[in-house]
Amino acid sequence: MLEAWAGIRAVGMADLAMPTVAAFAPADWAVRLCDERVEPVDFDASAEFIGLTGKITQRERLRELATEFQRRGRKIIIGGSYASLSPEEVRTYADILVIGEIEEIAAELFADLSSGRYKPEYRGTKPDIGAGPLPRWDLYPPGHAMTAQVQTSRGCPFECEFCDVIQYLGRKQRWKEPERVIEELNLLHGYGYRSVFFADDNLTVMRRRTRSLLEALACWNDRPAGDRMAFSTQVSIDIARDADILNLLRESGFAMTFIGIETPNEESLSLAGKRQNLNADMIGRIRTIAEHGILAFGGIVVGFDQDGPDIFERQAAFIQAMPLPLVSPGLLVAPDATPLHARLAAAGRLIDGRQSAASVVGTNIRPLLMSDETLRNGMIWLLNRVFSAELFAERVAAFVDICGEHRPQERMPFFSGMNAALARRLARSGRPEYALIRMLDKAAHARPDLLSILTTIFVYYCQARFMLEREGIWDETTRRRDRPLI
C-alpha cells in the first residue's frame, strides 16, 4: 500500500522469523536475508541452501519460490507456522522440512547442512526461548520497516477452537526474562527503530510475569520524546478488569493492542471456546481500555455455526457502538490441525480454500445457517459499512474524546511526509474521505499527545481501503446501504 499510494517502498512491520533463524547459523557461514515485500528475490544467488518461510496466505508464492530455486539446483529448507501445521502440503517441494521451533534443533540442523548429510525432516521441541542468540537485525534490509518485532513469550493457555497458535506453540506459556527483552530492545534502538510490536500470542495473560516485564520496560523507556519507543502487542479482553496493568502498559510505552473481540453472539463465543469473552460487557471493556490511553484493534469474525443472516447488521451496530476505529473483520476459517478443522471435516463441511486463503472474504467452511452467497455478500456489505469514511470518522472521534492522556510528543504537522502523500491519494476518493482527513488534522492539533496513535489509525485506514479496492470489494453504493442485500 505504501508504495502504491505514497511511492514509499516500505512495510509496516519487519519480519522477525528471518533474523531469529539467521542468528543460529555458524559464524563461518555467509547469510543473506531477503524480505520480498521490500526487495526482489535474487534467483541467481549463489547460495547452496535457500531457506523459506511463510503463512498459509502465502502458500502459493511459497511453492513458486521453492520450485524456481529447485529448478536452478538449490536445496530448499522450509519452516515456520504453515510448514509446521500443514507439513504434508509443503513436503512435496521441500528438500528439508523443519517442523516446530528452531532453538533446540538448530545445532544439529546446521551441523548436518555443513557436513552434507542432512535429513529430510527435523522436528523442534518446546524450548527455552530466552536461551538463543539475539536476532540478526544487522542482516535485515535497513530503513524499510516502520515497526520492528520482539517476542517475549510463546504459547497461550486459552482453548479457542479456531486458533492454530496453540497447536503450534502449545498452551503452556514460555517467556523471556525482562533482562533479555531489554537486550533485544537495545539492539533495535541502536538500529534506529522507534516502534516495536511485541509478537506474543497474549502478552498479559500471566499477570505476575507481565507486571515484572512492564515495570522493567517503563524504567528502560523513560526517555525524551524523540528517543522513546512506541510499543504495541496482543492481549485478551479480560485485561480491562486490571487497571494496574493497563496503567503500566501506557506508562511503559504501549499505545495499541490487538484484541480478539470476535462477535456479539454469545452462543458463537461459547461453542468456539472463547470463554474469556463470555458474560462480559464488551463495549464497556473497550471503553475502559481507551480511557486508559490504549487503542484497541479489534479482531471481528463472522461465519460461526450460530450466525444467521442477521449477524452482519448485528456486527455493524456492535462495532459502531465502541470507541474502536481499528477493526479487522474476517470470515471464520478452519486452519489445519485445529479442533474446528477436525469437527467440520467429520461433518463434511470443509471446502477447498486454496483460492481464497488470501482473500478477506474467503473461507474454507460451508456455513450452517446461510448460503455461501449470503455469507460472502453479507461480508462485503459489512466491510464497506465499517470502512465507510463517515462511520470510521465517528469511531475515531469517540476514541479521541475519551482516550487517556499520553506523554507529550514532538510537535510536527500531522499531514507531512508519508501522511501527506497518503492524504493526497485518499482525498481523491470523495468528500467523505476529505472530511475524514480534516477531522484527523483537527484531532492532531487538539490532542498532540496522540500524534503517533492518530498516524497509526490513518495509515491502517488507507491500508484497509487499498485492500478492498484491490480485491474489487469496495463499492460506493454498497457502503451507503443500511443493510445488506441478502
Side-chain angles (χ1 to χ4, degrees):
M1 183 277 293
L2 291 176
E3 184 172 14
W5 277 28
I8 301 171
R9 193 169 179 82
V11 294
M13 195 173 300
D15 180 74
L16 178 59
M18 292 190 297
T20 298
V21 175
F24 288 96
D28 60 345
W29 276 45
V31 179
R32 177 183 169 190
L33 303 185
C34 173
D35 187 336
E36 193 180 16
R37 299 174 300 167
V38 297
E39 60 181 337
V41 175
D42 180 8
F43 288 106
D44 296 319
S46 59
E48 181 180 355
F49 297 101
I50 302 294
L52 299 174
T53 189
K55 300 175 290 187
I56 187 171
T57 54
Q58 300 162 323
R59 60 185 177 185
E60 295 305 322
R61 183 55 177 164
L62 194 66
R63 182 190 295 272
E64 290 172 2
L65 291 171
T67 301
E68 181 59 26
F69 274 117
Q70 284 179 326
R71 190 181 68 81
R72 294 167 184 248
R74 307 294 188 265
K75 297 298 182 183
I76 303 301
I77 309 168
I78 301 181
S81 59
Y82 174 53
S84 298
L85 292 165
S86 307
E88 297 310 315
E89 290 197 22
V90 176
R91 199 183 305 277
T92 57
Y93 51 90
D95 297 293
I96 302 164
L97 182 60
V98 179
I99 299 173
E101 301 173 57
I102 188 70
E103 281 82 357
E104 290 182 350
I105 60 173
E108 178 190 8
L109 171 62
F110 281 105
D112 290 353
L113 295 177
S114 296
S115 69
R117 296 188 297 272
Y118 47 82
K119 298 181 292 188
E121 180 181 303
Y122 293 82
R123 286 187 175 266
T125 57
K126 299 292 185 288
D128 174 1
I129 65 171
L134 295 174
R136 291 291 306 274
W137 287 109
D138 58 306
L139 298 177
Y140 192 79
H144 287 292
M146 297 169 61
T147 299
Q149 295 191 67
V150 300
Q151 187 178 50
T152 77
S153 68
R154 290 182 195 156
C156 178
F158 294 123
E159 296 181 274
C160 303
E161 185 188 36
F162 54 81
C163 180
D164 56 5
V165 168
I166 57 177
Q167 311 305 321
Y168 174 41
L169 299 176
R171 292 185 58 221
K172 182 179 180 181
Q173 194 175 66
R174 295 156 286 135
W175 54 78
K176 298 172 182 175
E177 294 300 322
E179 295 78 13
R180 168 55 190 260
V181 177
I182 297 300
E183 279 190 86
E184 296 192 34
L185 291 174
N186 279 329
L187 186 66
L188 291 169
H189 195 276
Y191 284 116
Y193 290 101
R194 293 297 180 269
S195 175
V196 173
F197 176 70
F198 281 58
D200 297 44
D201 306 306
N202 192 329
L203 181 75
T204 59
V205 69
M206 299 298 183
R207 295 292 197 267
R208 183 181 301 176
R209 175 260 175 182
T210 300
R211 188 169 285 103
S212 174
L213 174 62
L214 294 178
E215 288 171 351
L217 292 176
C219 181
W220 178 84
N221 208 20
D222 187 12
R223 303 164 180 264
D227 203 36
R228 185 172 165 83
M229 275 195 167
F231 299 140
S232 54
T233 190
Q234 303 178 114
V235 302
S236 48
I237 191 66
D238 59 318
I239 192 63
R241 298 181 303 180
D242 198 325
D244 179 42
I245 294 294
L246 287 173
N247 287 329
L248 277 173
L249 282 166
R250 181 177 60 180
E251 290 168 13
S252 58
F254 284 87
M256 183 180 75
T257 182
F258 181 88
I259 299 174
I261 296 172
E262 320 307 5
T263 180
N265 190 333
E266 290 261 329
E267 289 182 300
S268 296
L269 293 172
S270 180
L271 181 66
K274 192 87 179 184
R275 64 180 187 273
Q276 63 271 31
N277 288 31
L278 285 170
N279 304 314
D281 175 8
M282 300 289 283
I283 295 172
R285 288 189 176 185
I286 292 297
R287 184 179 181 87
T288 295
I289 291 168
E291 288 171 343
H292 282 80
I294 298 171
L295 173 67
F297 186 155
I300 300 293
V301 177
V302 174
F304 291 103
D305 284 358
Q306 289 73 24
D307 287 349
D310 66 327
I311 190 61
F312 307 106
E313 291 180 69
R314 288 180 64 189
Q315 284 280 23
F318 180 54
I319 292 167
Q320 208 59 31
M322 293 182 278
L324 189 70
L326 304 189
V327 291
S328 178
L331 294 180
L332 181 67
V333 173
D336 290 347
T338 61
L340 177 63
H341 190 279
R343 177 170 69 81
L344 295 180
R349 290 180 50 212
L350 289 179
I351 57 178
D352 181 17
R354 193 173 303 276
Q355 300 302 317
S356 60
S359 171
V360 294
V361 292
T363 181
N364 63 344
I365 297 173
R366 187 78 67 196
L368 188 63
L369 299 182
M370 66 184 97
S371 68
D372 294 349
E373 183 180 13
T374 296
L375 181 65
R376 177 182 169 82
N377 290 342
M379 190 64 192
I380 289 174
W381 174 83
L382 180 62
L383 288 163
N384 277 273
R385 188 72 177 165
V386 300
F387 288 114
S388 68
E390 301 97 326
L391 295 184
F392 189 84
E394 287 181 12
R395 300 199 304 276
V396 174
F399 170 77
V400 171
D401 186 53
I402 66 170
C403 181
E405 188 174 354
H406 280 256
R407 291 191 182 194
Q409 299 184 23
E410 290 183 307
R411 282 189 172 271
M412 61 183 68
F414 182 68
F415 285 110
S416 61
M418 176 188 68
N419 283 3
L422 292 175
R424 285 192 291 271
R425 170 59 180 80
L426 182 63
R428 298 204 301 265
S429 299
R431 290 183 178 179
E433 287 76 11
Y434 181 71
L436 172 62
I437 292 167
R438 290 286 303 274
M439 188 272 282
L440 285 167
D441 193 39
K442 291 179 180 178
H445 279 87
R447 293 290 306 269
D449 60 311
L450 299 184
L451 190 64
S452 63
I453 289 180
L454 290 169
T455 294
T456 297
I457 290 171
F458 178 60
V459 172
Y460 177 75
Y461 181 77
C462 291
Q463 173 71 22
R465 285 290 298 268
F466 169 77
M467 290 179 61
L468 295 177
E469 290 176 14
R470 184 182 62 183
E471 290 199 29
I473 291 172
W474 181 256
D475 179 72
E476 284 294 321
T477 302
T478 301
R479 76 161 181 86
R480 293 191 185 98
R481 292 194 179 108
D482 292 332
R483 57 182 56 86
L485 293 178
I486 53 176

